[in-house]
Amino acid sequence: MTSVITFLLVAVPSGAAWSSTTQDSPVTWSVAPADANGPDGRGRVEIALDPGATVTEHLAVRNLSETDTTFSLTAADGYYTSSGRFDMLAAGEQSIDAGTWITVEPSVTIAAGKTAVVPYTITVPTNATPGDHAAGVAASVLRSATDADGTQIGVDSRVGFRVSTRVTGDLAPALAVTDVRAEYTPSWSLFSPGRVAVTYTASNTGNATLGVRDRVGDAASEHGNLLPGETRAITVEPVDAWPLGLLFLGFTVEGSVADDAASAAPFTDTLVLWAVPWLHLLAALGILLILLAILTGRRRTRQRMQRLLDEAREAGRRDATELVHTS
């Protein structure tokens, strides 16, 4: 029998429950930030510390299943996915930043239906860089299952929350925008505008977490947070634009710092792209050809009528001449 271990890495909002079902009894649990007495209503932990400082926080793990369960407790560096969702490094990946600052018990056993409050410490290195550092704390259960062909599978289900530490010092938010591309797609309807699709790459080159927001023409959209050092390819929701030949659209990308007056210098540009109204030109050409055909037909009709009239007059003159000769 082959043994395969796979890891299901789950990061859900704190306080939410996750169920892990295998051959054994299902295990359902939730994890939330807490104080020494239990969950304190926070959705995540955000804290400011000096280099070298240590603080004790708590997490509450609630066993919602019907069996006593041992949960593994871990901490790891955090990051934002390409869709803007927060996650933490998978088991086996090496943390090099805020994930290494957190110390927590390796495991906790919780009776069915009970909640355990577990302390953990955050210790900031003396040489830590000022600014924002993200990590995650999670509780997980490794369960085994066997698939149809007899292969044994291990599933590591993980539930946790974000721990954001701002190391005191000068904040220097900075945003870089590269690889800006814009493309116009015309509409197949004469009475509907086309669409302008914009893509670009945003990089957080400062030391503070940035909320990325952009504006194309009059349309604004938000794209979640970007941690210091992170880079993300962003696709803007297409905006309407009429095909007027050469389009000029204002383009701005901003990086704001939450709960702080500081923000990164915005990136501004003017998008210039061709929006040739091919459909409208073809429609105009069709109308022109129709009008030309109508005018040509009318002219030919007038010419034919004039020819018939001239022939009738000539016939009348001939008849009159013959009548005079006969008289």
Side-chain angles (χ1 to χ4, degrees):
M1 179 179 66
T2 304
S3 178
V4 179
I5 301 294
T6 62
F7 295 94
L8 174 62
L9 304 176
V10 181
V12 300
S14 64
W18 178 259
S19 176
S20 175
T21 303
T22 60
Q23 287 181 335
D24 302 325
S25 300
V27 178
T28 305
W29 70 103
S30 65
V31 181
D35 56 25
N37 299 315
D40 56 13
R42 290 179 294 174
R44 57 184 178 269
V45 174
E46 295 180 334
I47 193 168
L49 293 173
D50 296 329
T54 298
V55 68
T56 299
E57 283 281 346
H58 299 80
L59 64 98
V61 183
R62 185 180 181 188
N63 183 4
L64 301 170
S65 56
E66 298 178 354
T67 59
D68 297 354
T69 305
T70 297
F71 299 92
S72 297
L73 304 178
T74 56
D77 287 351
Y79 66 96
Y80 284 96
T81 65
S82 58
S83 63
R85 184 176 65 88
F86 183 82
D87 205 343
M88 54 189 285
L89 294 182
E93 294 188 69
Q94 186 70 36
S95 293
I96 59 174
D97 195 49
T100 66
W101 303 354
I102 298 174
T103 302
V104 65
E105 293 294 327
S107 64
V108 60
T109 300
I110 306 174
K114 299 298 182 180
T115 299
V117 176
V118 182
Y120 63 92
T121 59
I122 305 172
T123 301
V124 180
T126 56
N127 62 346
T129 304
D132 293 333
H133 302 260
V137 175
S140 63
V141 176
L142 179 62
R143 310 288 284 174
S144 63
T146 303
D147 62 14
D149 63 3
T151 301
Q152 186 178 359
I153 301 173
V155 180
D156 188 19
S157 304
R158 186 173 63 176
V159 181
F161 56 83
R162 179 170 33 142
V163 179
S164 298
T165 303
R166 174 167 290 178
V167 179
T168 56
D170 293 335
L171 282 183
L175 176 70
V177 175
T178 57
D179 300 328
V180 180
R181 300 187 181 187
E183 182 178 355
Y184 182 79
T185 301
S187 170
W188 289 105
S189 170
L190 288 171
F191 309 103
S192 299
R195 306 277 271 171
V196 175
V198 179
T199 61
Y200 63 93
T201 299
S203 300
N204 186 340
T205 56
N207 64 357
T209 301
L210 299 177
V212 180
R213 175 185 175 89
D214 58 42
R215 180 179 293 276
V216 179
D218 295 327
S221 54
E222 297 183 358
H223 302 282
N225 292 331
L226 202 61
L227 293 172
E230 286 187 337
T231 295
R232 185 183 307 153
I234 294 177
T235 300
V236 181
E237 184 71 20
V239 299
D240 293 342
W242 290 97
L244 302 176
L246 196 60
L247 291 181
F248 297 88
L249 291 175
F251 176 55
T252 302
V253 183
E254 300 173 340
S256 59
V257 180
D259 303 324
D260 197 283
S263 61
F267 172 87
T268 59
D269 195 6
T270 299
L271 304 177
V272 182
L273 63 161
W274 284 102
V276 180
W278 295 113
L279 188 61
H280 296 78
L281 292 176
L282 288 174
L285 179 60
I287 293 173
L288 181 62
L289 291 175
I290 292 173
L291 292 175
L292 183 61
I294 292 173
L295 293 176
T296 301
R298 287 182 176 178
R299 185 178 63 182
R300 288 177 178 175
T301 298
R302 287 197 299 269
Q303 291 175 344
R304 185 168 59 254
M305 294 298 294
Q306 185 64 44
R307 185 172 61 254
L308 292 174
L309 181 60
D310 292 342
E311 291 175 352
R313 289 174 177 172
E314 181 62 26
R317 285 195 294 269
R318 286 199 301 269
D319 291 344
T321 302
E322 292 177 355
L323 181 61
V324 170
H325 291 164
T326 303
S327 298

